[in-house]
């Protein structure tokens, strides 16, 4: 898959999306100034001892876009393309996401500019712990709550939790377990959090299919990225009778028009860390992959994949954005011309942060919810968001991405007007 060449364009993309929606609804110009900037940006350069004894200086980020609706919230990613521009964009998208699904969080994002595959398990642990220490009180369970994102997982959250609480006075350690979400269940995580983003993607696809009176049984789809979001989306679409026909990851693109079993592929991928060599998969090039004839395309990898250069290749009914920012504005325009439906990222992939909210609540109340309760509440919140976006698209006669922004901006504008600006 093509990685972002010019990360600078990612944040510009967010600003363009924001401007388009704000223009359409005559958004308050003063509040526009506030939301057009991130509130806080922390960059830390920190030393880590490697297994052979030498020291590496790594660069980490945490950007807090807005907290008018609640504590800053968003994931941490470990990737060589992480930089201030990308993190700004991702933090801003988190503000819109929580606003759309009506959860009391603001937006933040962070990460380390690093290729985690180059480090041992113990090096990754020291990197994570030292990064947490470097962030210090810039994160906090009632202030800014990290979670997993690209190349981070429950284990990394457990290390962050352990490091954070170990630096608190003994009597307050237990009261700080909600410093991160997406923890392992045994360490205070929630059932259903691991699959939550994929589950949310599937719930929104199901809503779209209901709207279009489209039968998912026998439908075909393809997925870009087979990490947490791509693999769970595929596994959870299987019971609907939908057929996975192509998949792409960092090593290449593959197809099997007869259908790929997502459970088996997931087992294989977990063991081999590659899709290559699985059963009847045939390697294809990136262009042929994007050109796959199917009903649904789920981009579940990085930003800027569907652009002026690639959007015309798509041959599907709907794009369901599991990733953050996979389509830029030019890509959006081409999809609209081609009459391809769009379930935009800030509603499509909101399942992760929704179940993060449930985990945070369970920690605060010392509760443990069963999976049925988590899934039922997730369904209610994400479908509620989806319906608000659909209603805004109708009311403003606009595309779904702009409609999603309108829902978020309307909520934020209302709160700013009620509260006013201090002093
Ligand atoms: N990283 C996920 C996202 O982009 C989840 C964030 C969270 O749970 O805080 O939505």
């Amino acid at each position: 898959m093509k990685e972002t060449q010019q990360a600078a364009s990612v944040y510009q993309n967010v600003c363009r999306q924001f401007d388009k929606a704000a223009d359409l609804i005559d958004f308050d110009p003063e509040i526009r100034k506030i939301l057009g900037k991130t509130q806080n940006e922390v960059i830390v350069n920190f030393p880590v001892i490697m297994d052979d004894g030498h020291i590496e200086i790594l660069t980490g980020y945490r950007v807090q876009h807005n907290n008018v609706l609640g504590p800053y919230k968003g994931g941490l990613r470990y990737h060589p393309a992480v930089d201030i521009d990308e993190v700004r964009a991702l933090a801003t998208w988190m503000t819109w996401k929580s606003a759309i699904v009506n959860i009391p969080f603001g937006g933040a994002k962070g990460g380390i500019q690093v290729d985690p595959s180059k480090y041992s398990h113990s090096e990754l642990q020291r990197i994570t712990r030292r990064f947490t220490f470097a962030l210090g009180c810039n994160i906090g369970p009632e202030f800014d709550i990290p979670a997993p994102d690209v190349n981070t997982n429950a284990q990394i959250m457990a290390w962050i939790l352990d490091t954070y609480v170990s630096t608190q006075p003994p009597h307050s350690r237990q009261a700080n377990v909600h410093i991160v979400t997406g923890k392992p269940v045994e360490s205070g995580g929630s059932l259903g959090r691991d699959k939550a983003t994929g589950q949310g993607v599937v719930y929104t696809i199901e809503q779209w299919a209901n709207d279009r009176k489209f039968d998912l049984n026998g439908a075909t789809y393809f997925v870009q990225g087979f990490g947490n979001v791509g693999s769970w989306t595929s596994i959870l679409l299987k019971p609907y009778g939908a057929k996975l026909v192509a998949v792409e990851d960092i090593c290449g693109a593959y197809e099997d028009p007869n259908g790929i079993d997502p459970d088996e592929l997931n087992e294989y991928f977990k063991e081999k860390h590659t899709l290559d060599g699985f059963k009847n998969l045939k390697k294809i090039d990136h262009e042929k992959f994007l050109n796959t004839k199917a009903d649904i395309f789920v981009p579940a990898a990085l930003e800027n994949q569907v652009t002026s250069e690639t959007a015309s290749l798509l041959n599907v009914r709907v794009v369901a954005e599991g990733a953050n920012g996979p389509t830029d504005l030019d890509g959006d325009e081409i999809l609209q011309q081609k009459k391809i439906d769009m379930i935009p990222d800030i509603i499509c992939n909101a399942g992760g942060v929704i179940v993060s909210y449930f985990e945070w609540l369970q920690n605060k109340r010392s509760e443990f919810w069963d999976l049925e309760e988590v899934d039922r509440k997730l369904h209610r919140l994400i479908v509620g968001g989806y319906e608000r976006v659909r209603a805004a698209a109708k009311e403003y006669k606009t595309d779904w991405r702009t409609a999603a922004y309108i829902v978020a901006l309307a909520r934020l504008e209302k709160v700013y007007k009620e509260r006013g600006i201090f002093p």
Side-chain angles (χ1 to χ4, degrees):
M1 104 194 33
K2 294 222 169 103
E3 303 228 345
T4 313
Q5 297 292 315
Q6 261 194 332
S9 63
V10 183
Y11 186 60
Q12 284 167 1
N13 193 24
V14 179
C15 297
R16 287 171 65 198
Q17 291 170 344
F18 173 49
D19 284 340
K20 187 176 171 195
D23 287 346
L24 196 64
I25 56 170
D26 272 330
F27 194 62
D28 185 297
E30 304 300 328
I31 302 169
R32 189 167 172 155
K33 286 184 210 160
I34 299 170
L35 293 173
K37 285 250 184 292
T38 57
Q39 289 177 339
N40 307 307
E41 302 188 341
V42 182
I43 302 181
V44 288
N45 297 306
F46 56 96
V48 182
I49 304 175
M50 297 298 138
D51 289 344
D52 67 1
H54 85 279
I55 286 174
E56 265 186 41
I57 306 291
L58 295 172
T59 303
Y61 302 86
R62 188 71 181 169
V63 170
Q64 296 158 340
H65 171 253
N66 189 276
N67 66 348
V68 77
L69 297 179
Y72 300 111
K73 185 82 190 82
L76 293 173
R77 73 170 53 173
Y78 289 3
H79 194 278
V82 167
D83 65 10
I84 191 69
D85 185 273
E86 185 191 55
V87 180
R88 264 181 203 143
L90 292 162
T92 310
W93 280 318
M94 288 309 301
T95 304
W96 313 146
K97 224 182 271 189
S98 290
I100 292 171
V101 295
N102 268 342
I103 58 175
F105 283 144
K109 201 78 165 205
I112 308 177
Q113 193 180 75
V114 75
D115 178 355
S117 68
K118 299 220 162 81
Y119 296 90
S120 70
H121 188 78
S122 60
E123 285 170 338
L124 275 179
Q125 175 167 180
R126 284 195 298 279
I127 290 169
T128 301
R129 288 184 180 278
R130 189 63 202 230
F131 177 43
T132 308
F133 180 73
L135 286 175
C137 60
N138 290 298
I139 56 171
E142 304 291 335
F143 175 61
D144 183 355
I145 307 120
D149 197 74
V150 174
N151 292 337
T152 56
N153 54 27
Q155 172 63 77
I156 287 175
M157 297 307 116
W159 291 329
I160 297 176
L161 158 70
D162 189 68
T163 307
Y164 185 84
V165 300
S166 299
T167 59
Q168 303 297 309
H171 63 268
S172 63
R173 284 181 193 157
Q174 227 31 56
N176 281 289
V177 177
H178 53 311
I179 175 62
V180 278
T181 57
K183 303 178 282 290
V185 172
E186 306 74 25
S187 296
S190 175
L191 290 175
R193 176 60 186 85
D194 192 38
K195 69 171 176 124
T197 309
Q199 183 69 75
V201 171
V202 170
Y203 286 152
T204 63
I205 291 175
E206 190 183 23
Q207 287 306 306
W208 168 85
N210 290 345
D211 287 349
R212 291 285 179 196
K213 305 203 172 6
F214 175 78
D215 192 357
L216 286 174
N217 191 4
T220 50
Y221 68 99
F222 64 110
V223 174
Q224 185 186 45
F226 208 68
N228 174 280
V229 183
S231 60
W232 273 116
T233 300
S234 310
I235 290 166
L236 295 166
L237 274 174
K238 188 172 149 182
Y240 291 80
K243 187 162 87 172
L244 176 64
V245 291
V247 57
E248 184 180 46
D249 80 344
I250 199 94
C251 303
Y254 305 85
E255 67 168 15
D256 182 354
N258 294 321
I260 305 160
D261 185 284
D263 290 301
E264 286 179 29
L265 184 65
N266 189 39
E267 287 307 312
Y268 182 90
F269 188 74
K270 269 200 206 138
E271 196 190 314
K272 311 253 185 200
H273 305 289
T274 175
L275 304 168
D276 208 51
F278 176 74
K279 283 196 160 173
N280 301 323
L281 285 190
K282 193 174 125 229
K283 195 155 188 169
I284 52 176
D285 66 29
H286 180 65
E287 278 68 32
K288 179 149 197 256
F289 170 76
L290 288 176
N291 197 226
T292 300
K293 183 160 176 35
D295 298 306
I296 305 160
F297 172 44
V298 182
L302 296 174
E303 304 89 42
N304 284 353
Q305 301 298 312
V306 182
T307 62
S308 57
E309 283 154 37
T310 56
S312 56
L313 292 168
L314 290 182
N315 200 358
V316 292
R317 290 168 193 262
V318 64
V319 175
E321 294 187 323
N324 291 308
T327 310
D328 70 9
L329 259 91
D330 299 333
D332 271 337
E333 228 164 79
I334 296 170
L335 296 186
Q336 283 156 35
Q337 282 158 15
K338 293 181 67 144
K339 304 232 175 316
I340 294 176
D341 289 342
M342 160 64 67
I343 312 174
D345 49 5
I346 50 178
I347 178 63
C348 190
N349 71 32
V353 72
I354 291 174
V355 179
S356 277
Y357 170 53
F358 299 158
E359 179 175 331
W360 188 74
L361 280 182
Q362 289 171 75
N363 292 159
K364 277 162 73 92
R365 300 173 181 171
S366 296
E367 286 181 3
F368 190 70
W369 303 355
D370 61 32
L371 185 58
E372 185 273 323
E373 182 174 1
V374 170
D375 282 347
R376 182 168 40 81
K377 289 180 167 158
L378 164 62
H379 187 266
R380 193 163 55 80
L381 289 192
I382 202 156
V383 171
Y386 178 97
E387 286 172 348
R388 282 188 284 281
V389 173
R390 183 179 59 201
K394 205 167 163 205
E395 184 181 343
Y396 290 91
K397 296 189 179 39
T398 190
D399 63 278
W400 276 52
R401 187 178 317 282
T402 309
Y405 268 73
I406 289 173
V407 174
L409 294 183
R411 183 165 178 222
L412 289 154
E413 185 180 48
K414 198 153 189 278
V415 175
Y416 267 110
K417 285 201 167 148
E418 284 165 3
R419 286 178 56 164
I421 302 299
F422 174 84

